[in-house]
Amino acid sequence: MEYRKMEKLGIEVSLLGFGCMRFPTTKDGAIDEVEAGQMLKKAYAAGVNYFDTAYPYHGGKSEVVLGKTMADLPRDSFYMATKLPVWKLKETSDVLEVFNEQLGRLQTDYVDFYLLHSMDAERLETVEKLGILPILEDLKAKGAIRHLGFSFHDEYPVFEKIARMHDWDFCQIQLNYMDTDVQAGLKGYKLTEELGIPLVVMEPVKGGVLATFPTSVAKPFADADPQASTASWALRWVGTLPHVKVILSGMSSLAQVEDNLKTFDKFVPLSDKEQEAVAQVKKELSARRRNGCTGCKYCMPCPAGVDIPHCFNLWNNLHVYENTQRAKDGWTSWLPAAAKPDNCVKCGQCEEACPQHISIRDDLEALNKELNELCGA
């Protein structure tokens, strides 16, 4: 197993971290505890020592299953990471109430890595308003939290503000070879390197889509190494960045655990030639986009309530990765009816503001028709 040293903390962590957000489930949607336990123990036996969960994962059951599975192992032989659900907090007293509930779920008296979960501009206001950081620092001083950090989902300026506002022990960002300019991105990676903040990376395989895209597009990978999985290329791309200390993979089957262990058992950074293969695949995937929306949000707010960037993101991802189920879920479950293109009044305000000069009204009409047909609407 490849290990990396978090110099600031004086500890070594496995480069592969086990993300506990996508455990296998039974037909009724509950976690398949037998298989999940086998997966966790297999990863642990192979040298994985970083296990990441959060309060809301699997409806609150992820922490429970992780705690139950690891309870019979030496507590100092692995690291548990979990997160404070900032959006759930209404009063300052809620912080300790939630934290103590998490200790009970995890069957432990301390958390190795504790994160403010999914930080953005709005949640930063909550953290400051409720005075959350001093409470967490006090828990750290008492040993109930060993290392304090945050995970992030917003734009780079917000990331820089949060990164510089506190002496963080570590932080966690989304990063993969398709999303180098999304959220914190590579710019955020470089900032953590500059500030000496150990970095944990989530979404290295972009929620699984970088493991399952069309075979024709993945040909440069197959030509370079016919035995390597498509997912392994995404993981190795992130691992080639030297300041990345842990790469989280949300594994949902024993086969995925085994494939990831193969990648990290004797980890090899990408060569220059392999980097060219990744660049070629990225170029071919990007060319499949339906329009050039960058998600800059200059078109927002829409006076009719349409979430233009979200709609274009669903549409583009459908064509880039051909993941129809993900597109259906996004269209029917994740996007409110009030935010769909049906509500567009074709005022043109969005097109006047768009720096990419996209024909937004025409494209909204086209994607609305296509996704409604896909979903049988």
Side-chain angles (χ1 to χ4, degrees):
M1 176 57 58
E2 176 82 3
Y3 293 91
R4 293 198 175 167
K5 190 170 184 178
M6 289 185 170
E7 292 87 356
K8 182 174 185 177
L9 308 182
I11 61 174
E12 281 194 338
V13 288
S14 54
L15 183 55
L16 174 62
F18 199 122
C20 301
M21 187 174 71
R22 297 185 174 94
F23 281 141
T25 57
T26 60
K27 290 182 179 179
D28 62 359
I31 296 174
D32 184 331
E33 293 192 27
V34 174
E35 186 174 0
Q38 291 172 344
M39 291 163 57
L40 289 165
K41 288 294 182 69
K42 187 175 187 68
Y44 173 82
V48 173
N49 68 2
Y50 193 101
F51 297 85
D52 172 271
T53 183
Y55 188 89
Y57 291 174
H58 285 283
K61 298 300 183 182
S62 175
E63 289 177 324
V64 174
V65 170
L66 178 62
K68 184 187 301 185
T69 302
M70 310 300 277
D72 62 343
L73 298 172
R75 183 63 183 86
D76 60 358
S77 66
F78 61 90
Y79 301 109
M80 277 186 181
T82 194
K83 310 174 186 76
L84 179 69
V86 178
W87 61 89
K88 181 179 173 65
L89 309 176
K90 306 303 179 187
E91 305 290 341
T92 302
S93 59
D94 293 340
V95 178
L96 289 178
E97 183 178 334
V98 170
F99 180 75
N100 287 326
E101 181 184 359
Q102 291 178 289
L103 292 182
R105 290 178 177 184
L106 292 167
Q107 299 186 36
T108 185
D109 55 6
Y110 68 91
V111 176
D112 301 283
F113 290 82
Y114 199 61
L115 303 88
L116 296 170
H117 196 178
S118 192
M119 287 295 289
D120 57 19
E122 182 179 351
R123 287 169 189 161
L124 176 58
E125 290 181 6
T126 300
V127 168
E128 293 175 330
K129 177 184 176 182
L130 297 182
I132 292 173
L133 276 178
I135 298 172
L136 299 183
E137 285 292 350
D138 183 59
L139 288 170
K140 183 180 170 185
K142 293 175 179 176
I145 293 172
R146 299 294 168 88
H147 310 296
L148 181 60
F150 67 96
S151 65
F152 182 79
H153 288 292
D154 205 332
E155 303 302 317
Y156 175 79
V158 181
F159 178 77
E160 181 170 4
K161 181 178 181 180
I162 296 173
R164 292 185 183 278
M165 69 178 277
H166 187 76
D167 183 19
W168 301 104
D169 295 321
F170 72 107
C171 73
Q172 181 173 312
I173 66 171
Q174 173 180 317
L175 188 61
N176 56 70
Y177 65 73
M178 288 300 293
D179 293 335
T180 54
D181 297 318
V182 175
Q183 296 186 17
L186 279 177
K187 196 173 178 182
Y189 166 83
K190 291 174 183 175
L191 180 64
T192 63
E193 194 171 32
E194 173 193 325
L195 298 176
I197 304 173
L199 183 63
V200 177
V201 167
M202 57 184 158
E203 300 293 347
V205 194
K206 197 175 169 65
V209 297
L210 296 184
T212 57
F213 53 76
T215 305
S216 59
V217 180
K219 188 175 185 301
F221 293 161
D223 290 345
D225 187 351
Q227 303 304 315
S229 67
T230 305
S232 70
W233 285 85
L235 294 167
R236 288 179 62 209
W237 182 87
V238 177
T240 301
L241 298 168
H243 188 61
V244 173
K245 307 303 182 183
V246 178
I247 303 172
L248 296 175
S249 177
M251 295 169 268
S252 55
S253 69
L254 277 168
Q256 290 177 5
V257 174
E258 290 165 356
D259 185 57
N260 285 347
L261 292 176
K262 181 180 176 182
T263 299
F264 288 94
D265 178 39
K266 295 178 180 177
F267 183 81
V268 180
L270 294 175
S271 66
D272 290 344
K273 187 174 181 181
E274 289 173 324
Q275 290 280 20
E276 290 175 7
V278 172
Q280 186 177 346
V281 168
K282 179 177 180 177
K283 182 179 179 181
E284 293 185 20
L285 285 172
S286 298
R288 298 162 68 94
R289 294 170 59 87
R290 297 295 286 162
N291 69 19
C293 177
T294 64
C296 71
K297 300 182 182 177
Y298 277 69
C299 58
M300 299 295 284
C302 166
V306 180
D307 190 338
I308 299 168
H310 193 160
C311 290
F312 284 156
N313 184 57
L314 284 172
W315 193 39
N316 281 320
N317 282 343
L318 170 62
H319 284 270
V320 171
Y321 305 109
E322 295 184 6
N323 190 324
T324 55
Q325 188 56 53
R326 191 180 182 89
K328 287 179 179 179
D329 290 343
W331 191 247
T332 59
S333 302
W334 306 336
L335 187 66
K340 290 185 177 181
D342 285 329
N343 301 290
C344 175
V345 295
K346 298 188 181 296
C347 67
Q349 176 179 308
C350 53
E351 293 182 13
E352 292 177 9
C354 178
Q356 308 301 323
H357 306 294
I358 296 169
S359 300
I360 294 176
R361 289 171 290 184
D362 289 344
D363 283 0
L364 285 176
E365 187 174 344
L367 78 86
N368 195 54
K369 181 175 185 294
E370 183 176 345
L371 286 166
N372 277 334
E373 289 177 352
L374 178 70
C375 298

